[in-house]
Amino acid sequence: MLEMEFKPKKKIDDKITINSLKTITEFEQYVMKLSHTRNLLEITTIHLSCTELEEVPNLDHFPNLQFLYLDNNQIKKIPELSYLPKLKCLDLENNCISKIENLENLKHLNHLDLSSNQIEYIEGLDDLVNLEFLTLSENKINRINGLNNLQSLKYLMLDCNEISKIENLKGLENLREITLDFNKFENINYSCYSESLERLYLQFNHIKEFTDLPYFPNLRVLYLNYNEISNISKLFSLKKLEILYLNHNRLKDISNLQNLVSLQELVLGDNNISDLSALKTLKKLRTLKTYNNPIKNNLELVK
């Protein structure tokens, strides 16, 4: 695989060194020089990270491009990229983009990173049927939607947004992981179903209760630490749960955890728990952390 690196003082190949690249003109001049010494059709990866670009340069000289890194720039708009039909990875992290657009022809796109931008709505993704990794962290999104056609999606990162409800996961039959840390959750309602979901991260929210738990029958990892939870009675149905983080909440009663027979790792630190006897039934439990609790009866784990 041939790669092009555009970074300060980074040698591109054995003939050309780019000290800085801050304008489209500089990039075009570089491509012109490169075309005299290299076959541009062989290039599959371009790095244009941290170059202060305000727009995406024309890349139609690279029709076989598969990996494009444009992170940490000042790009405001996603341009038309239909001339890159083989693109698999597009990284636009930490730019100034406010709208997801012009991606409909990227049928082979597998990895899309739009974190740390100014996006408010999830849209323009319907045609990305091969997308597996979607990162939209650190934006201004307040609702999960616009994902129903992404049947290949496995990993969805939505941490550091303004979301308050888990919803609209129908059709995501391959979804394995959702990250929703640092959002605006106060309550967890039964509003969605995902048979494939295995890992759910809801750390650092304001969750106080579970009106009902979404139906995640194959959930194996659940992070609920740094919330305001006092009642965990709704967790009893998570029979396949293996890892559970509940530290930094307001728990007193953990008797319902006795039903989580698959638990292997449990973190309960910084709560108000005094009785651990319910955990004696958890035969698979190997890691237990209970720091900063007024515990009256310790539980010895068989290592």
Side-chain angles (χ1 to χ4, degrees):
M1 180 184 294
L2 296 177
E3 296 192 3
M4 292 168 56
E5 289 269 357
F6 298 93
K7 294 183 180 179
K9 299 181 181 179
K10 179 75 174 182
K11 196 170 184 180
I12 304 304
D13 55 26
D14 58 356
K15 296 180 181 180
I16 298 175
T17 300
I18 301 295
N19 293 317
S20 64
L21 177 62
K22 297 183 179 180
T23 68
I24 299 298
T25 301
E26 288 182 61
F27 176 77
E28 292 174 347
Q29 291 172 348
Y30 172 78
V31 172
M32 184 64 68
K33 291 180 181 180
L34 186 68
S35 65
H36 297 310
T37 59
R38 300 277 294 278
N39 181 358
L40 302 186
L41 297 178
E42 295 179 350
I43 293 174
T44 60
T45 301
I46 292 179
H47 288 266
L48 278 165
S49 307
C50 304
T51 54
E52 300 184 24
L53 286 174
E54 295 185 0
E55 59 182 294
V56 179
N58 187 348
L59 300 167
D60 60 2
H61 295 289
F62 309 98
N64 293 316
L65 197 65
Q66 296 181 28
F67 303 91
L68 176 57
Y69 299 93
L70 293 160
D71 53 289
N72 294 288
N73 284 294
Q74 299 173 20
I75 297 168
K76 297 179 176 62
K77 181 181 174 65
I78 304 173
E80 171 60 48
L81 295 172
S82 59
Y83 54 81
L84 299 176
K86 297 182 180 181
L87 198 64
K88 294 181 179 180
C89 175
L90 177 58
D91 188 346
L92 284 161
E93 177 187 0
N94 196 20
N95 277 283
C96 304
I97 297 167
S98 59
K99 184 176 182 179
I100 306 173
E101 58 185 339
N102 295 322
L103 300 175
E104 57 271 9
N105 293 310
L106 302 182
K107 305 297 184 183
H108 295 283
L109 197 65
N110 175 270
H111 188 128
L112 176 61
D113 191 341
L114 285 164
S115 55
S116 300
N117 277 282
Q118 300 172 14
I119 297 167
E120 295 184 12
Y121 305 103
I122 303 175
E123 58 187 339
L125 301 173
D126 288 348
D127 297 307
L128 304 184
V129 294
N130 288 303
L131 192 67
E132 295 185 10
F133 300 84
L134 176 59
T135 304
L136 291 167
S137 309
E138 296 187 56
N139 278 285
K140 301 177 181 179
I141 299 167
N142 60 23
R143 189 178 181 192
I144 302 174
N145 58 5
L147 302 172
N148 292 346
N149 288 346
L150 304 184
Q151 297 183 7
S152 298
L153 191 65
K154 293 181 179 179
Y155 302 93
L156 176 59
M157 316 307 175
L158 285 165
D159 48 299
C160 300
N161 277 286
E162 301 174 8
I163 299 167
S164 60
K165 187 177 183 180
I166 302 176
E167 59 183 337
N168 297 320
L169 300 182
K170 184 178 180 180
L172 304 183
E173 298 178 356
N174 290 296
L175 189 63
R176 298 288 184 269
E177 179 176 315
I178 304 178
T179 302
L180 289 163
D181 304 331
F182 293 99
N183 271 281
K184 294 189 175 181
F185 286 91
E186 294 185 1
N187 188 11
I188 303 296
N189 292 300
Y190 182 90
S191 56
C192 68
Y193 167 89
S194 176
E195 190 167 340
S196 62
L197 193 68
E198 296 179 352
R199 294 176 291 278
L200 175 60
Y201 299 92
L202 283 161
Q203 305 170 96
F204 294 95
N205 278 281
H206 302 284
I207 301 171
K208 296 179 176 63
E209 61 179 340
F210 302 93
T211 301
D212 207 341
L213 194 68
Y215 185 55
F216 300 141
N218 290 303
L219 197 67
R220 286 174 167 76
V221 177
L222 178 59
Y223 277 59
L224 289 166
N225 42 315
Y226 291 93
N227 278 285
E228 301 168 24
I229 301 168
S230 59
N231 188 329
I232 54 173
S233 60
K234 300 295 183 179
L235 295 182
F236 74 93
S237 63
L238 301 177
K239 302 297 185 182
K240 294 186 179 181
L241 199 64
E242 297 175 356
I243 298 174
L244 176 59
Y245 274 59
L246 285 165
N247 48 303
H248 292 274
N249 276 287
R250 299 176 180 177
L251 295 175
K252 292 183 179 180
D253 181 10
I254 59 168
S255 58
N256 290 98
L257 294 181
Q258 64 185 339
N259 297 307
L260 305 185
V261 294
S262 297
L263 265 187
Q264 299 177 23
E265 180 177 349
L266 177 61
V267 180
L268 296 169
D270 284 299
N271 279 285
N272 195 27
I273 301 165
S274 60
D275 185 4
L276 297 177
S277 59
L279 305 182
K280 292 181 179 179
T281 61
L282 304 181
K283 303 303 182 182
K284 295 183 179 181
L285 192 63
R286 291 294 177 266
T287 301
L288 174 63
K289 296 181 181 180
T290 60
Y291 54 87
N292 295 336
N293 278 285
I295 296 171
K296 296 179 180 178
N297 60 328
N298 285 317
L299 182 72
E300 291 187 6
L301 295 180
V302 178
K303 300 296 182 182

